[in-house]
Amino acid sequence: MQEKITDWANKVVNIYNSYEISFYTQSDLTKITQSPEILILGINPGSEGAYNKIDAETFMRGNTYFSERDKWHLWRQLKKILAFGNLSYLIEDETRFVFTNVYHFGTLKAVHLSSELKNNENIVNLTINLIKDVLKPKRVLCLGKQDCFDKLHIECQDLIAGELTYGKLNEIPVYGIPHTSSFYTNEESEMIGKVLSALFTGKIEPDKEKIAECARKHGFENIIFVETMEEAVKVCAEKANPGEAVL
């Protein structure tokens, strides 16, 4: 496994160093010796820094501050969601999970990535290769829903409109949730965590009707099926009482 990761990392640094833009991955890939239980995937690192040329080994060791991840809002929210589904163990052992990005270039926000970088298929294909050919994780969890699916060319379906998306990359199940840097209600965190738990453990299939059935078992009775986030917001606004906020 480490030989494959090192070969992949050499390809990454050869391409990324040519742009002379700061780049890094997140978790320490030198700790991975077998296919991880889960791969957490964001769009790109949310920070900027001065460019320094790095080699494959340095890149594989990941974010210098990854040991401080419990201070990150996005990580605390992810842990909260997984805890609702009794899935905390998935991100406790650094030898059994990977946290990385579609693009490794660091910018304050993903929208600051240039079109040249975002549209470069060679860059995106490196991440696709990492997932389906090198690591082959049991499952992928995308932070940001549609963005990751679009970049990786994965056909997807909404299991819960605006909350949970599903697709496959070479038979590897890929799930998408709202980015955990955004605001979540406790109810939203609980619902997503418990549904992910049922999906990950095979108790339900990635099917809207099965998801609704699972939600009812956990006390969510008022369920309306919609096709898009826009439709979900419209329905919620129509059902809301005066003075209530629709989030």
CSV table of all heavy atoms in Angstrom, one decimal, residues 50-71:
chain,number,residue,atom,x,y,z
A,50,ALA,N,2.8,30.8,1.7
A,50,ALA,CA,3.8,31.0,0.7
A,50,ALA,C,4.2,29.6,0.1
A,50,ALA,O,4.3,28.6,0.8
A,50,ALA,CB,5.1,31.6,1.4
A,51,TYR,N,4.5,29.6,-1.2
A,51,TYR,CA,4.8,28.4,-1.9
A,51,TYR,C,6.3,28.0,-1.5
A,51,TYR,O,7.2,28.8,-1.5
A,51,TYR,CB,4.7,28.6,-3.4
A,51,TYR,CG,5.4,27.4,-4.2
A,51,TYR,CD1,4.8,26.2,-4.2
A,51,TYR,CD2,6.6,27.6,-4.8
A,51,TYR,CE1,5.4,25.1,-4.9
A,51,TYR,CE2,7.3,26.6,-5.5
A,51,TYR,CZ,6.7,25.4,-5.5
A,51,TYR,OH,7.3,24.3,-6.2
A,52,ASN,N,6.4,26.7,-1.2
A,52,ASN,CA,7.7,26.1,-1.0
A,52,ASN,C,7.7,24.7,-1.7
A,52,ASN,O,6.7,24.0,-1.5
A,52,ASN,CB,8.0,25.9,0.5
A,52,ASN,CG,8.3,27.2,1.2
A,52,ASN,OD1,9.3,27.9,0.9
A,52,ASN,ND2,7.5,27.5,2.2
A,53,LYS,N,8.7,24.5,-2.5
A,53,LYS,CA,8.7,23.2,-3.3
A,53,LYS,C,8.8,22.1,-2.3
A,53,LYS,O,9.6,22.1,-1.3
A,53,LYS,CB,9.9,23.2,-4.2
A,53,LYS,CG,9.9,22.0,-5.1
A,53,LYS,CD,11.0,22.0,-6.1
A,53,LYS,CE,11.0,20.8,-7.0
A,53,LYS,NZ,12.1,20.9,-8.1
A,54,ILE,N,8.0,21.1,-2.4
A,54,ILE,CA,8.0,19.9,-1.5
A,54,ILE,C,8.2,18.6,-2.3
A,54,ILE,O,7.8,18.5,-3.4
A,54,ILE,CB,6.8,19.9,-0.6
A,54,ILE,CG1,5.5,19.7,-1.4
A,54,ILE,CG2,6.7,21.1,0.3
A,54,ILE,CD1,4.3,19.5,-0.5
A,55,ASP,N,8.7,17.6,-1.6
A,55,ASP,CA,8.8,16.3,-2.2
A,55,ASP,C,7.7,15.4,-1.8
A,55,ASP,O,6.8,15.8,-1.0
A,55,ASP,CB,10.2,15.7,-1.8
A,55,ASP,CG,10.4,15.5,-0.3
A,55,ASP,OD1,9.4,15.5,0.4
A,55,ASP,OD2,11.5,15.4,0.1
A,56,ALA,N,7.7,14.2,-2.3
A,56,ALA,CA,6.6,13.3,-2.1
A,56,ALA,C,6.4,12.9,-0.6
A,56,ALA,O,5.3,12.8,-0.1
A,56,ALA,CB,6.7,12.0,-2.9
A,57,GLU,N,7.5,12.7,0.1
A,57,GLU,CA,7.4,12.3,1.5
A,57,GLU,C,6.8,13.4,2.3
A,57,GLU,O,6.0,13.1,3.2
A,57,GLU,CB,8.8,11.9,2.0
A,57,GLU,CG,8.8,11.4,3.4
A,57,GLU,CD,10.1,11.0,4.0
A,57,GLU,OE1,11.1,11.0,3.2
A,57,GLU,OE2,10.2,10.7,5.2
A,58,THR,N,7.3,14.6,2.1
A,58,THR,CA,6.7,15.7,2.8
A,58,THR,C,5.2,15.9,2.6
A,58,THR,O,4.4,16.1,3.5
A,58,THR,CB,7.4,17.0,2.4
A,58,THR,OG1,8.8,16.9,2.7
A,58,THR,CG2,6.9,18.2,3.2
A,59,PHE,N,4.8,15.8,1.3
A,59,PHE,CA,3.4,15.8,0.9
A,59,PHE,C,2.6,14.8,1.6
A,59,PHE,O,1.5,15.0,2.1
A,59,PHE,CB,3.3,15.7,-0.6
A,59,PHE,CG,1.8,15.7,-1.1
A,59,PHE,CD1,1.0,16.8,-1.0
A,59,PHE,CD2,1.3,14.5,-1.5
A,59,PHE,CE1,-0.3,16.7,-1.4
A,59,PHE,CE2,0.0,14.4,-1.9
A,59,PHE,CZ,-0.8,15.5,-1.9
A,60,MET,N,3.1,13.5,1.6
A,60,MET,CA,2.4,12.4,2.2
A,60,MET,C,2.1,12.6,3.7
A,60,MET,O,1.1,12.1,4.2
A,60,MET,CB,3.1,11.1,2.0
A,60,MET,CG,3.1,10.6,0.6
A,60,MET,SD,4.3,9.3,0.3
A,60,MET,CE,3.7,8.0,1.4
A,61,ARG,N,3.0,13.4,4.4
A,61,ARG,CA,2.8,13.6,5.8
A,61,ARG,C,1.7,14.5,6.2
A,61,ARG,O,1.3,14.7,7.3
A,61,ARG,CB,4.1,14.0,6.5
A,61,ARG,CG,5.2,12.9,6.4
A,61,ARG,CD,6.4,13.2,7.3
A,61,ARG,NE,7.4,12.1,7.2
A,61,ARG,CZ,7.3,10.9,7.8
A,61,ARG,NH1,6.2,10.7,8.6
A,61,ARG,NH2,8.2,10.0,7.7
A,62,GLY,N,1.2,15.2,5.1
A,62,GLY,CA,0.0,16.0,5.3
A,62,GLY,C,0.1,17.3,6.0
A,62,GLY,O,1.2,17.9,6.1
A,63,ASN,N,-1.0,17.8,6.5
A,63,ASN,CA,-1.1,19.1,7.1
A,63,ASN,C,-0.4,19.1,8.4
A,63,ASN,O,-0.6,18.3,9.3
A,63,ASN,CB,-2.6,19.4,7.3
A,63,ASN,CG,-2.9,20.8,7.8
A,63,ASN,OD1,-2.0,21.5,8.3
A,63,ASN,ND2,-4.1,21.3,7.7
A,64,THR,N,0.5,20.1,8.6
A,64,THR,CA,1.3,20.2,9.8
A,64,THR,C,0.4,20.4,11.0
A,64,THR,O,0.8,19.9,12.1
A,64,THR,CB,2.3,21.4,9.7
A,64,THR,OG1,3.0,21.4,8.5
A,64,THR,CG2,3.2,21.5,10.9
A,65,TYR,N,-0.7,21.0,10.8
A,65,TYR,CA,-1.6,21.2,11.9
A,65,TYR,C,-2.8,20.2,12.1
A,65,TYR,O,-3.7,20.5,12.8
A,65,TYR,CB,-2.2,22.6,11.8
A,65,TYR,CG,-1.2,23.7,11.8
A,65,TYR,CD1,-0.8,24.3,10.6
A,65,TYR,CD2,-0.6,24.2,13.0
A,65,TYR,CE1,0.2,25.3,10.6
A,65,TYR,CE2,0.4,25.1,13.0
A,65,TYR,CZ,0.8,25.7,11.8
A,65,TYR,OH,1.8,26.7,11.8
A,66,PHE,N,-2.6,19.1,11.4
A,66,PHE,CA,-3.7,18.1,11.5
A,66,PHE,C,-3.9,17.6,12.9
A,66,PHE,O,-5.0,17.2,13.2
A,66,PHE,CB,-3.5,17.0,10.5
A,66,PHE,CG,-4.7,16.1,10.3
A,66,PHE,CD1,-5.8,16.5,9.7
A,66,PHE,CD2,-4.7,14.7,10.7
A,66,PHE,CE1,-6.9,15.7,9.5
A,66,PHE,CE2,-5.8,13.9,10.6
A,66,PHE,CZ,-6.9,14.4,10.0
A,67,SER,N,-2.9,17.5,13.7
A,67,SER,CA,-3.0,17.1,15.1
A,67,SER,C,-3.9,18.0,15.9
A,67,SER,O,-4.4,17.6,17.0
A,67,SER,CB,-1.6,17.0,15.7
A,67,SER,OG,-1.0,18.2,15.7
A,68,GLU,N,-4.1,19.2,15.4
A,68,GLU,CA,-5.0,20.2,16.1
A,68,GLU,C,-6.4,20.2,15.5
A,68,GLU,O,-7.1,21.2,15.7
A,68,GLU,CB,-4.3,21.6,16.0
A,68,GLU,CG,-3.0,21.6,16.7
A,68,GLU,CD,-2.3,23.0,16.6
A,68,GLU,OE1,-3.1,24.0,16.3
A,68,GLU,OE2,-1.1,23.1,16.7
A,69,ARG,N,-6.8,19.2,14.8
A,69,ARG,CA,-8.1,19.2,14.1
A,69,ARG,C,-9.3,19.4,15.0
A,69,ARG,O,-10.3,19.9,14.5
A,69,ARG,CB,-8.2,18.0,13.2
A,69,ARG,CG,-8.1,16.7,13.9
A,69,ARG,CD,-8.0,15.5,13.0
A,69,ARG,NE,-7.8,14.2,13.6
A,69,ARG,CZ,-6.7,13.7,14.1
A,69,ARG,NH1,-5.6,14.5,14.0
A,69,ARG,NH2,-6.6,12.6,14.7
A,70,ASP,N,-9.2,19.0,16.2
A,70,ASP,CA,-10.3,19.1,17.1
A,70,ASP,C,-10.7,20.5,17.4
A,70,ASP,O,-11.7,20.8,17.9
A,70,ASP,CB,-10.1,18.3,18.4
A,70,ASP,CG,-10.3,16.8,18.3
A,70,ASP,OD1,-11.0,16.4,17.3
A,70,ASP,OD2,-9.7,16.1,19.1
A,71,LYS,N,-9.8,21.5,17.0
A,71,LYS,CA,-10.0,22.9,17.2
A,71,LYS,C,-10.8,23.4,16.0
A,71,LYS,O,-11.4,24.5,16.0
A,71,LYS,CB,-8.7,23.7,17.3
A,71,LYS,CG,-7.9,23.3,18.5
A,71,LYS,CD,-6.6,24.1,18.6
A,71,LYS,CE,-5.8,23.8,19.8
A,71,LYS,NZ,-4.5,24.6,19.8
